[in-house]
Amino acid sequence: MTTASSAAAPLVAGTLIAEQASAQIATRTHQPVDLKLEVNGRRHRLAIDVRTSLLDALREHLAFTGTKKGCDLGQCGACTVLVGGRRVLSCLTLAVATRGPVTTIEGLTGSDDRLHPMQQAFIDHDAFQCGYCTPGQIMSAIGCVTEGHAESDADIREYMSGNLCRCAAYPNIVDAIKQAKPQMQEG
Amino acid sequence: MAQTEFFRPGNLAAALDLLDQYREQAVIVNGGTDIVERIAHGGVRRAAIIYIHEIPELRGIGEGDGFVRIGGAVTYNDILASPLCCQFTALEQAVKEIGSPSIRVRGTPAGNLGTAVPAGDCCAAMMALDAEVVAASRQGERAIKLADLIIDYRRTALAANELIREIRIPVVPGGKTASAFLRLTSRKGQDIAQASAAVRLTLDGDVCRHAVIAMGSVSKVTVRAYSLEKAVAGKTVADAAEEIKAMVPAEVALRAADNPAFAARPTANIERQYKESVIGVIVARAMMTAYGKILAGEQ
C-alpha cells in the first residue's frame, strides 16, 4: 500500500524550484513562500507564511469565506473542503502542503447557477438553522457519498460524525444526503 | 524567530538529513491532525517544518520476520483497509473510534505514538500488542519497545534527529490468543477517552495463561497494568474478570504526588473517582471481548 506520490512535483514553488526538485532534494522555500493553489477550477498565486493553514489561506488570502472557521482545532468540521475530491479539514492542513485542486462551497454551483444536488437537498429538507456549519456539512456530505459511505442511515451518521451542528439539524441532514445521493450518482 | 522554512523531502534519506541538520529546531509534520493547529496558532515555532506524510518509504504495510510492519506515514484509514493490520482486533477497535472520518484520512498511528498523550488510543492498543517502533536517524536505526518509547506526558525517547520509520507488531499464533480494545467516552463520536483499556489474552484451556493489559487516560502516560496482569494469571476468565472489575490498579496515577498537572484541575477529585471506579470494568470488558474472539476462533 503505497501512494504514488511524486516528490518531484512540488506545489510550493518558485518556478525554478519546481523544475529542479528531485526525489533526492528537499523542497526548500522561504518565508513568505510563493504558493500556487488551484481553488474551484482557477489557479491562484499567493505569498504566504508557511505556517498558514489552508483554512486561513482560503479565507484571509483568497476571500473564500464560505469555508467557515469553527473550532480551528479539527473537532467541528465547519472548515471541511475537498482536496483532490477527498474531504479534508482545512484547519489541520498546511496550505503549503496541500496537493491537488481544492473545492470549496463556492465551487459547487455550476456556470448555469444551478445548485449542486447536495445544496438543493439541504434546502429541501431544511437541513440547517443558523447555517454556520452548513458549508462544512455539505462538503463533508459530498465526500461521504463519493466515498461510498452513505449506504444506510447508520452509515451516514457514522461518516458525518466529524461535522457538528449546534442547532441539531442532524435528522434533516441525513434525509438531505439520502435525497442527493442518487442524484449525484446519476449526474 | 524570524523565519520558518517548509521542507517536503522526497524520500527518507532526505528527511533524515534535514532532521539531522535542524534537530530541536525542526518540527515534523506527518498527518498533521495534532501538530498543524499548534503550528498555525503559534504554539510551536521552529526554524524548519519537515513534512514527511507523502514519503513513499513510510507508506507501506507489510509482513516479515514475525512482525506486521506499519510504515510511519500510514494513516488510520490505511490500517482499517488492511486485513494484515485488522487481524489485531485491539488495533482495529482503537483506530475505528479515533477522531472522525476526516481525521482518520490523515492521522497516523506513528503520530499518535510520537505525540504520547495518555488518551492516545493507538498507544494503549499497541502497548497491549507488544509493539515496538523502529526509530531512524542518519546514524542508523534502533528498535524501541513502546513502554520505553513513551517516557512522560507528550515526551518520547526519540532523539531530536530521529523519526518513527516503522511500527512493528509481533504476530502471535492464533487459536489461543486474541486482543481487544475498549474505551469510555462521554459521546459516541469525536471524543477522547475518559478511560481506555487494551488487552491481549492468551488462554490455556479456560484459564488465563497470560494477559497483557494497557490502560489509557489514567496516568500521565499510557501504562501497563502489571498488577492486573498478575491478578488474572492462572484464573478462569470469568473469575478473573469478576475480580478485576472491583480493582483500582496500582498503576492508576492521578494523585498529586505523581501527577501534579492532573491534580491541579478544578474537577480532579471527581474525575479521579470516576476513572478509578470505571477502569476495572473497562479492563474486564475488554478481556471478555478478547475471550469471545478466542472462542470464535479469531485473533
Side-chain angles (χ1 to χ4, degrees):
Chain A
M1 186 177 299
T2 55
T3 53
S5 109
S6 154
L11 182 96
V12 183
T15 41
L16 288 174
I17 300 172
E19 281 153 24
Q20 290 171 1
S22 75
Q24 296 300 319
I25 301 165
T27 306
R28 186 172 189 134
T29 57
H30 292 272
Q31 180 193 12
V33 68
D34 181 16
L35 171 67
K36 285 176 190 150
L37 204 56
E38 186 184 327
V39 184
N40 300 333
R42 267 194 58 200
R43 293 182 74 86
H44 298 267
R45 200 163 172 172
L46 57 161
I48 203 168
D49 184 318
V50 295
R51 294 166 299 190
T52 310
S53 67
L54 177 60
L55 173 61
D56 283 340
L58 289 170
R59 287 182 57 86
E60 310 297 330
H61 294 260
L62 297 171
F64 286 112
T65 52
T67 304
K68 298 304 181 200
K69 182 179 280 193
C71 67
D72 213 11
L73 291 167
Q75 294 175 351
C76 76
C79 68
T80 306
V81 298
L82 303 179
V83 176
R86 297 179 78 185
R87 50 181 165 161
V88 305
L89 296 170
S90 60
C91 76
L92 295 185
T93 306
L94 288 173
V96 290
T98 307
R99 212 191 266 281
V102 179
T103 309
T104 71
I105 191 78
E106 291 94 338
L108 292 183
T109 310
S111 51
D112 56 358
D113 270 353
R114 273 190 41 193
L115 294 179
H116 185 283
M118 192 63 78
Q119 291 175 302
Q120 189 59 53
F122 267 64
I123 293 170
D124 294 346
H125 289 273
D126 231 355
F128 50 85
Q129 272 185 52
C130 82
Y132 194 82
C133 72
T134 310
Q137 298 280 3
I138 290 175
M139 300 316 289
S140 200
I142 292 169
C144 186
V145 170
T146 54
E147 289 158 18
H149 288 140
E151 298 306 310
S152 65
D153 286 20
D155 215 19
I156 292 170
R157 286 178 185 280
E158 169 62 21
Y159 284 91
M160 289 297 290
S161 65
N163 290 78
L164 305 185
C165 171
R166 299 315 296 163
C167 307
Y170 299 113
N172 299 7
I173 291 170
V174 174
D175 291 343
I177 294 172
K178 279 163 38 185
Q179 173 181 311
K181 182 188 155 208
Q183 297 168 349
M184 279 176 62
Q185 286 165 344
E186 281 164 27
Chain B
M1 185 176 305
Q3 186 135 316
T4 301
E5 288 186 275
F6 177 80
F7 298 93
R8 190 202 289 271
N11 59 34
L12 181 62
L16 295 178
D17 281 349
L18 284 164
L19 212 47
D20 204 64
Q21 182 188 339
Y22 282 94
R23 299 193 174 227
E24 287 83 1
Q25 285 308 307
V27 55
I28 297 173
V29 174
N30 192 352
T33 55
D34 183 72
I35 198 75
V36 164
E37 67 84 8
R38 300 171 78 205
I39 293 169
H41 295 173
V44 170
R45 307 193 79 164
R46 304 280 167 81
I49 296 170
I50 305 176
Y51 181 64
I52 63 164
H53 195 55
E54 292 165 15
I55 295 177
E57 294 136 288
L58 301 179
R59 292 302 297 251
I61 294 173
E63 194 175 14
D65 298 334
F67 293 101
V68 167
R69 298 152 172 269
I70 300 168
V74 164
T75 65
Y76 296 127
N77 266 9
D78 295 339
I79 297 277
L80 293 176
S82 157
L84 261 185
C85 294
C86 288
Q87 69 178 299
F88 305 109
T89 307
L91 179 62
E92 183 188 18
Q93 288 177 326
V95 168
K96 255 187 183 162
E97 293 198 51
I98 290 177
S100 62
S102 304
I103 296 288
R104 296 194 288 270
V105 167
R106 302 296 292 273
T108 64
N112 203 225
L113 302 184
T115 302
V117 294
D121 295 325
C122 268
C123 300
M126 294 284 192
M127 190 176 280
L129 293 168
D130 198 24
E132 60 190 35
V133 302
V134 177
S137 73
R138 233 184 118 182
Q139 284 73 43
E141 295 193 340
R142 60 183 177 132
I144 309 173
K145 284 276 182 199
L146 221 57
D148 300 323
L149 175 76
I150 301 171
I151 54 179
D152 203 347
Y153 180 74
R154 283 194 182 271
R155 271 193 63 208
T156 67
L158 291 174
N161 66 339
E162 284 181 316
L163 59 76
I164 297 175
R165 181 178 69 73
E166 180 176 274
I167 302 166
R168 294 176 176 168
I169 307 175
V171 179
V172 179
K176 288 179 177 161
T177 298
S179 67
F181 170 88
L182 185 71
R183 68 179 196 161
L184 192 64
T185 55
S186 17
R187 297 186 297 271
K188 183 176 172 294
Q190 281 268 80
D191 205 353
I192 59 170
Q194 309 268 354
S196 64
V199 176
R200 194 185 66 190
L201 179 66
T202 302
L203 283 188
D204 195 349
D206 205 29
V207 169
C208 300
R209 194 178 66 188
H210 186 52
V212 184
I213 302 172
M215 304 182 295
S217 294
V218 294
S219 172
K220 279 193 290 191
V221 292
T222 307
V223 283
R224 273 281 289 273
Y226 292 108
S227 59
L228 299 184
E229 294 179 12
K230 220 167 155 185
V232 301
K235 300 200 171 96
T236 67
V237 179
D239 285 352
E242 205 49 45
E243 185 171 333
I244 58 181
K245 261 184 203 171
M247 284 175 71
V248 180
E251 296 79 10
V252 171
L254 299 166
R255 294 180 187 263
D258 40 46
N259 205 338
F262 177 83
R265 293 161 64 103
T267 51
N269 260 333
I270 298 163
E271 284 184 68
R272 187 181 64 231
Q273 285 168 28
Y274 181 69
K275 286 168 188 264
E276 286 179 350
S277 27
V278 296
I279 187 65
V281 177
I282 298 296
V283 174
R285 285 185 189 166
M287 197 168 77
M288 291 309 289
T289 305
Y291 181 53
K293 295 274 170 195
I294 298 174
L295 296 184
E298 298 170 42
Q299 268 256 339

